[in-house]
Protein backbone atom coordinates (compact mmCIF):
# COMPACT_ATOMS: atom_id res chain seq x y z
CA UNK A 1 0.00 0.00 0.00
CA UNK A 2 1.43 3.36 -1.00
CA UNK A 3 1.77 6.10 1.59
CA UNK A 4 1.32 8.82 -1.03
CA UNK A 5 -2.02 9.04 -2.86
CA UNK A 6 -1.97 8.31 -6.55
CA UNK A 7 -2.84 11.95 -7.36
CA UNK A 8 0.80 12.77 -6.55
CA UNK A 9 2.05 10.17 -8.98
CA UNK A 10 3.19 7.71 -6.31
CA UNK A 11 6.71 7.69 -7.78
CA UNK A 12 8.64 6.75 -4.65
CA UNK A 13 11.80 4.71 -4.84
CA UNK A 14 11.57 4.04 -1.08
CA UNK A 15 8.25 4.25 0.75
CA UNK A 16 9.93 5.03 4.08
CA UNK A 17 12.19 7.82 2.79
CA UNK A 18 10.26 11.13 2.73
CA UNK A 19 12.89 12.68 0.45
CA UNK A 20 12.71 10.01 -2.24
CA UNK A 21 9.55 11.35 -3.87
CA UNK A 22 10.30 12.61 -7.35
CA UNK A 23 9.23 16.13 -8.29
CA UNK A 24 5.57 16.19 -9.18
CA UNK A 25 4.63 18.39 -12.11
CA UNK A 26 1.02 19.60 -11.68
CA UNK A 27 0.95 20.76 -15.32
CA UNK A 28 2.11 17.46 -16.78
CA UNK A 29 -0.07 16.59 -19.75
CA UNK A 30 -1.45 20.09 -20.31
CA UNK A 31 -1.12 21.46 -23.88
CA UNK A 32 1.12 24.37 -22.86
CA UNK A 33 3.55 22.27 -20.77
CA UNK A 34 5.68 21.49 -23.84
CA UNK A 35 6.22 25.20 -24.44
CA UNK A 36 7.79 25.47 -20.97
CA UNK A 37 10.63 23.27 -22.18
CA UNK A 38 11.84 26.19 -24.28
CA UNK A 39 12.47 28.38 -21.21
CA UNK A 40 15.99 29.83 -21.31
CA UNK A 41 18.59 28.26 -19.02
CA UNK A 42 18.84 31.50 -17.04
CA UNK A 43 15.34 30.85 -15.69
CA UNK A 44 16.46 27.53 -14.24
CA UNK A 45 19.19 29.38 -12.37
CA UNK A 46 16.57 31.36 -10.45
CA UNK A 47 16.79 28.91 -7.58
CA UNK A 48 20.39 29.91 -6.84
CA UNK A 49 19.42 33.57 -7.18
CA UNK A 50 16.47 33.26 -4.84
CA UNK A 51 18.10 30.99 -2.29
CA UNK A 52 21.05 33.20 -1.40
CA UNK A 53 20.29 33.99 2.22
CA UNK A 54 21.71 37.22 3.63
CA UNK A 55 21.43 38.59 7.16
CA UNK A 56 21.70 42.36 7.74
CA UNK A 57 22.27 43.70 11.22
CA UNK A 58 23.01 47.18 12.45
CA UNK A 59 25.43 47.85 15.29
CA UNK A 60 26.29 51.26 16.75
CA UNK A 61 29.40 51.34 14.50
CA UNK A 62 28.36 49.61 11.25
CA UNK A 63 25.88 47.76 9.06
CA UNK A 64 26.95 44.10 8.77
CA UNK A 65 25.79 41.76 6.00
CA UNK A 66 26.44 38.01 6.23
CA UNK A 67 25.80 35.63 3.35
CA UNK A 68 26.09 31.84 3.41
CA UNK A 69 27.95 30.89 0.23
CA UNK A 70 29.16 27.31 0.75
CA UNK A 71 31.45 25.94 -1.91
CA UNK A 72 32.08 29.33 -3.53
CA UNK A 73 35.56 30.81 -3.68
CA UNK A 74 36.08 34.48 -2.90
CA UNK A 75 37.23 34.98 -6.50
CA UNK A 76 33.73 33.95 -7.66
CA UNK A 77 31.99 36.62 -5.55
CA UNK A 78 31.73 40.31 -6.34
CA UNK A 79 30.82 43.03 -3.83
CA UNK A 80 30.08 46.48 -5.26
CA UNK A 81 28.61 49.77 -4.10
CA UNK A 82 26.76 51.61 -6.84
CA UNK A 83 26.08 55.31 -7.02
CA UNK A 84 23.17 56.18 -4.82
CA UNK A 85 24.30 53.88 -2.03
CA UNK A 86 23.24 50.47 -3.34
CA UNK A 87 25.24 47.48 -2.10
CA UNK A 88 25.31 44.65 -4.62
CA UNK A 89 26.54 41.12 -3.84
CA UNK A 90 26.76 38.78 -6.82
CA UNK A 91 28.54 35.68 -7.99
CA UNK A 92 28.20 32.33 -9.66
CA UNK A 93 28.33 28.75 -8.47
CA UNK A 94 29.54 26.51 -11.29
CA UNK A 95 27.93 23.20 -12.09
CA UNK A 96 29.98 20.13 -11.29
CA UNK A 97 31.43 18.53 -14.39
CA UNK A 98 29.61 15.37 -15.40
CA UNK A 99 31.82 12.49 -16.37
CA UNK A 100 30.70 10.07 -19.03
CA UNK A 101 30.67 7.09 -16.65
CA UNK A 102 29.05 8.86 -13.69
CA UNK A 103 25.56 7.89 -12.57
CA UNK A 104 23.84 10.67 -10.62
CA UNK A 105 21.13 9.62 -8.16
CA UNK A 106 20.17 13.08 -6.94
CA UNK A 107 21.18 16.68 -7.67
CA UNK A 108 19.94 19.06 -4.97
CA UNK A 109 22.67 21.69 -4.69
CA UNK A 110 21.85 24.76 -6.72
CA UNK A 111 24.19 26.20 -9.30
CA UNK A 112 24.09 29.35 -11.36
CA UNK A 113 24.27 33.07 -10.79
CA UNK A 114 23.04 34.93 -7.76
CA UNK A 115 22.52 38.64 -7.17
CA UNK A 116 21.28 40.55 -4.14
CA UNK A 117 20.95 44.34 -3.81
CA UNK A 118 20.42 46.49 -0.73
CA UNK A 119 19.82 50.24 -0.52
CA UNK A 120 22.14 51.53 2.19
CA UNK A 121 20.82 54.05 4.69
CA UNK A 122 21.95 57.68 4.69
CA UNK A 123 24.36 57.13 7.58
CA UNK A 124 26.44 54.49 5.70
CA UNK A 125 30.01 55.29 4.63
CA UNK A 126 29.78 53.71 1.19
CA UNK A 127 33.43 54.48 0.41
CA UNK A 128 34.75 52.45 3.34
CA UNK A 129 33.09 49.07 2.74
CA UNK A 130 35.12 46.00 3.70
CA UNK A 131 34.43 42.37 2.83
CA UNK A 132 35.89 39.08 4.03
CA UNK A 133 35.16 35.42 3.38
CA UNK A 134 35.73 32.67 5.91
CA UNK A 135 34.40 29.09 5.94
CA UNK A 136 31.84 29.82 3.21
CA UNK A 137 30.44 32.91 4.94
CA UNK A 138 30.82 36.31 3.29
CA UNK A 139 30.85 39.22 5.74
CA UNK A 140 30.43 42.75 4.37
CA UNK A 141 30.94 45.59 6.83
CA UNK A 142 29.68 49.07 5.99
CA UNK A 143 30.82 51.62 8.61
CA UNK A 144 28.36 54.25 9.79
CA UNK A 145 28.98 57.98 9.98
CA UNK A 146 29.44 59.26 13.47
CA UNK A 147 26.44 61.07 14.77
CA UNK A 148 27.51 64.51 15.87
CA UNK A 149 26.16 65.23 19.27
CA UNK A 150 24.87 68.76 19.58
CA UNK A 151 27.33 71.02 21.34
CA UNK A 152 25.96 72.18 24.64
CA UNK A 153 27.31 75.45 25.95
CA UNK A 154 26.74 76.20 29.58
CA UNK A 155 25.78 79.80 30.30
CA UNK A 156 26.83 81.39 33.58
CA UNK A 157 24.01 83.14 35.32
CA UNK A 158 24.97 86.53 36.71
CA UNK A 159 23.24 88.15 39.51
Amino acid sequence: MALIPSIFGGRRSNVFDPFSLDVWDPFEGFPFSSSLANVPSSASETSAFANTRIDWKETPEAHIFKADLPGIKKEEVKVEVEEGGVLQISGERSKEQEEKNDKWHRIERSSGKFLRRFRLPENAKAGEVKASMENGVLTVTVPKMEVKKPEIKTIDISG
Side-chain angles (χ1 to χ4, degrees):
M1 181 170 127
L3 294 176
I4 302 294
S6 62
I7 59 167
F8 293 111
R11 297 172 296 190
R12 267 187 185 271
S13 55
N14 181 348
V15 175
F16 301 106
D17 180 6
F19 300 107
S20 69
L21 184 64
D22 292 343
V23 176
W24 173 62
D25 181 7
F27 300 109
E28 187 175 349
F30 279 97
F32 61 83
S33 64
S34 60
S35 65
L36 295 176
N38 298 328
V39 174
S41 63
S42 61
S44 66
E45 296 169 351
T46 303
S47 64
F49 168 78
N51 289 331
T52 304
R53 305 283 189 223
I54 298 181
D55 295 336
W56 176 1
K57 74 175 179 180
E58 182 176 354
T59 66
E61 299 82 29
H63 294 275
I64 300 171
F65 298 83
K66 289 195 175 206
D68 290 336
L69 302 173
I72 298 180
K73 300 175 190 140
K74 68 179 186 176
E75 295 81 13
E76 298 172 326
V77 179
K78 189 188 288 188
V79 178
E80 301 171 305
V81 178
E82 298 176 355
E83 248 182 82
V86 176
L87 174 69
Q88 179 172 300
I89 301 171
S90 61
E92 183 170 6
R93 178 179 288 129
S94 306
K95 274 189 175 179
E96 201 168 314
Q97 293 294 330
E98 293 186 30
E99 296 294 325
K100 192 175 183 181
N101 298 327
D102 290 347
K103 179 181 176 186
W104 289 86
H105 292 277
R106 185 172 301 277
I107 299 174
E108 294 182 341
R109 296 184 302 148
S110 59
S111 62
K113 296 178 182 180
F114 63 90
L115 171 75
R116 295 294 304 273
R117 297 171 58 130
F118 301 92
R119 180 164 306 283
L120 297 173
E122 295 288 325
N123 66 350
K125 292 183 179 179
E128 298 179 24
V129 175
K130 290 185 170 69
S132 64
M133 186 106 146
E134 187 176 338
N135 295 328
V137 178
L138 173 70
T139 302
V140 179
T141 304
V142 183
K144 291 168 55 176
M145 292 180 209
E146 292 180 25
V147 178
K148 292 186 179 183
K149 294 181 181 178
E151 188 177 313
I152 299 174
K153 183 178 177 184
T154 305
I155 308 294
D156 290 331
I157 302 173
S158 61

